[in-house]
């Protein structure tokens, strides 16, 4: 389940980082994977030229993109893998490996035309057969984290450079979907052994791996066969697993790194140290996840009591250091899917919360909940305090294997955070759909949501009705009793001033056009 978006790294010590760290001990014992191509000792220094020294809190636990899935680690995997489409600064799908695409008149078939002459780093051709293999593997591989994202795809025909995607329904979201968050395409030859691919990634992206120490370090060099290699000005990348958050800024100051994702709590120190702090726009949103199939949340009044007990401003003030904002939706304000009509539907009102609990037949503090999370988290302490104030007792339980019961929908109460999706419809179904991975109350879905999301899929992205249709689906989804959204914050990057500005592409790190001076 690691493929689904995990809570992002923040001051609170997010589960994504903790889960990665838990796996690190095992990974450190792994044998060094041999260099994948002749490059001396595989070090970034050996490659010479402009070198990106990136330390990441999201160092991939898997290098097979089918297993890694569409969680936060897709940014690192995008060094190696390209996709059919990529995202521009407006969040729209634009050509990547596919130079164009076209729907049939009905809208249930889309043909992607691949760029001619491309190949994977192992020399295999990037053609429609590779696309077909990637989609089929994502749908069928036993440990795939992506099968739930591709339910609209019925089959793929490979016709030279044309990948003809047959859909089970009209769905104009497919070009948004098949980007680097969901379909990073590996060489079919290498992917024939998924276990080997997981340790020796082979893609058609801007860089190729020359050395890999699982869980710790990856060294990469520029891929001269990448379709847009002329606009990649970085010669080598040394990607390392981030140390303790408190030492990242000092590592940047001393030149051990020149690029790192940071906590909001570190931003002021990074600026004071003369570093650039890059605010990466995105779709991050945190929430309380409730299971309406279990008491006490099978009572609507208790659910509403929790909704009114949440003071979103406290999350923002205590956790985001001025970089976040309160949200009651899985989208930031200003995004096309954000629904203004739903804003502040359940305002903070602890007195109303107490009255609702009394109407539900509960006395103060007779509801006792276990809040299951994977690691210590100040966010959980805020939830505990806010619910105690209205008479609900919360015991915080740490379970490093929290993801298993969460995705099995066995928990009653938990916290979650999403990095969002490039397809707004996919974000909505992940949260509110009957089989949504982020819907702790499966198979429950709010009334009217199924029809609303179907209408979104049936509406072309360039239709003048698209925004209104999408916001109506958001509005239908937010009637769900299974999620209470709290706050959002962007991803923060601290970097050396030698690294030029990065494109402000929502949720993505893109190296096209980026330069490193003084190398």
């Amino acid at each position: 389940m690691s493929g689904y978006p995990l809570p992002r790294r923040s001051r609170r010590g997010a589960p994504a980082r903790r889960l990665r760290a838990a796996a690190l001990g095992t990974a450190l014992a792994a044998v060094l994977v041999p260099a994948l191509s002749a490059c001396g000792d595989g070090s970034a220094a050996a490659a010479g030229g402009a070198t990106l020294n990136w330390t990441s809190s999201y160092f991939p636990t898997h290098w097979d993109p089918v297993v890694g899935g569409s969680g936060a680690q897709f940014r690192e995997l995008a060094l190696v893998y390209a996709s059919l489409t990529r995202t521009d600064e407006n969040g729209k799908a634009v050509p990547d490996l596919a130079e164009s695409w076209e729907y049939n008149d009905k809208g249930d078939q889309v043909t992607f035309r691949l760029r001619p002459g491309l190949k994977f780093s192992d020399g295999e051709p990037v053609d429609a057969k590779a696309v077909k293999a990637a989609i089929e593997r994502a749908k069928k591989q036993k440990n795939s984290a992506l099968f739930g994202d591709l339910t609209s795809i019925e089959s793929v025909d490979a016709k030279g450079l044309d990948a003809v995607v047959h859909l089970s329904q009209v769905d104009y979201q497919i070009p948004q979907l098949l980007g680097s968050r969901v379909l990073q395409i590996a060489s079919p030859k290498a992917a024939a052994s998924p276990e080997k691919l997981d340790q020796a990634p082979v893609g058609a992206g801007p860089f190729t791996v020359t050395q890999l120490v699982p869980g710790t370090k990856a060294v990469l060099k520029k891929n001269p066969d990448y379709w847009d290699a002329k606009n990649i000005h970085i010669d080598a990348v040394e990607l390392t697993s981030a140390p303790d958050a408190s030492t990242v800024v000092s590592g940047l100051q001393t030149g051990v790194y020149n690029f790192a994702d940071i906590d909001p709590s570190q931003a002021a120190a990074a600026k004071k140290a003369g570093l650039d702090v890059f605010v990466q726009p995105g779709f991050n949103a945190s929430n309380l996840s409730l299971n309406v199939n279990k008491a006490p949340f099978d009572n609507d009044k208790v659910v509403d009591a929790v909704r009114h007990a949440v003071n979103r401003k406290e999350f923002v003030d205590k956790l985001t250091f001025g970089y976040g904002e309160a949200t009651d939706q899985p989208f930031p304000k200003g995004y096309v899917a954000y629904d203004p009509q739903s804003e502040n539907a359940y305002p903070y009102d602890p007195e109303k919360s107490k009255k609702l609990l009394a109407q539900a037949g509960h006395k103060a503090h007779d509801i006792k909940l276990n809040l299951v999370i994977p690691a210590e988290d100040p966010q959980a302490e805020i939830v505990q305090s806010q619910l105690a104030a209205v008479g609900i007792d919360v015991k915080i339980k740490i379970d490093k294997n929290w993801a298993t019961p969460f995705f099995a929908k066995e928990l009653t109460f938990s916290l979650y955070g999403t990095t969002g999706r490039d397809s707004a419809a996919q974000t909505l179904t992940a949260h509110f759909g009957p089989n949504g991975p982020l819907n702790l109350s499966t198979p429950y879905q709010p009334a009217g949501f199924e029809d609303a999301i179907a209408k979104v899929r049936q509406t072309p992205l360039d239709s003048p009705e698209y925004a209104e249709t999408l916001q109506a689906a958001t509005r239908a989804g937010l009637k769900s009793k299974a999620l209470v959204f709290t706050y959002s914050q962007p991803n923060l990057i601290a970097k050396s001033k030698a690294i030029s500005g990065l494109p402000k592409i929502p949720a993505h790190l893109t190296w096209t056009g980026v330069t490193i001076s003084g190398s």
Side-chain angles (χ1 to χ4, degrees), residues 36 63 65 68 97 139 141 149 167 198 241 258 292 294 309 323 348 369-370 373 376 386-387 414 431 459 479 494 513:
L36 303 180
W63 287 84
L97 293 178
K139 288 173 68 70
Q141 187 168 302
D149 295 324
L167 307 175
D198 207 23
S241 178
N258 56 14
V292 302
K294 297 178 180 289
Y323 287 95
Y348 174 54
L369 298 171
N370 289 326
I373 56 175
E376 291 182 5
Q386 291 184 0
L387 293 188
S414 190
H431 285 91
T459 305
K479 293 178 182 177

Side-chain angles (χ1 to χ4, degrees), residues 132-152:
K132 176 180 172 69
I135 291 175
E136 290 180 348
R137 194 166 71 89
K139 288 173 68 70
K140 297 176 182 179
Q141 187 168 302
K142 184 176 291 187
N143 61 347
S144 172
L146 303 176
F147 63 91
D149 295 324
L150 303 172
T151 54
S152 284

Side-chain angles (χ1 to χ4, degrees), residues 448-462:
F449 177 71
E450 185 175 7
D451 290 340
I453 200 66
K455 191 172 181 181
V456 171
R457 297 187 189 281
Q458 294 162 9
T459 305
L461 303 184
D462 58 359

Side-chain angles (χ1 to χ4, degrees), residues 198-246:
D198 207 23
Q199 301 299 317
V202 180
F207 301 93
T208 61
V209 173
T210 62
Q211 185 187 49
L212 178 62
V213 182
T216 304
K217 176 182 176 181
V219 179
L220 307 95
K221 67 176 182 178
K222 178 178 174 178
N223 178 10
D225 295 320
Y226 176 54
W227 74 266
D228 199 23
K230 67 179 183 298
N231 289 314
I232 300 297
H233 308 303
I234 296 172
D235 299 308
V237 179
E238 185 167 309
L239 178 69
T240 56
S241 178
D244 184 83
S246 63

Side-chain angles (χ1 to χ4, degrees), residues 170-206:
V170 176
D171 192 348
Y172 288 103
Q173 295 279 314
I174 297 300
Q176 292 287 124
L177 179 69
L178 298 184
S180 65
R181 299 177 75 86
V182 171
L183 193 70
Q184 295 177 326
I185 300 175
S187 162
K189 181 179 179 182
S193 175
E195 297 81 7
K196 291 182 179 179
L197 180 71
D198 207 23
Q199 301 299 317
V202 180

Side-chain angles (χ1 to χ4, degrees), residues 58-77:
Y58 303 116
F59 190 93
T61 50
H62 294 283
W63 287 84
D64 177 355
V66 165
V67 183
S70 53
Q73 297 172 5
F74 79 91
R75 299 181 184 94
E76 285 78 357
L77 295 183

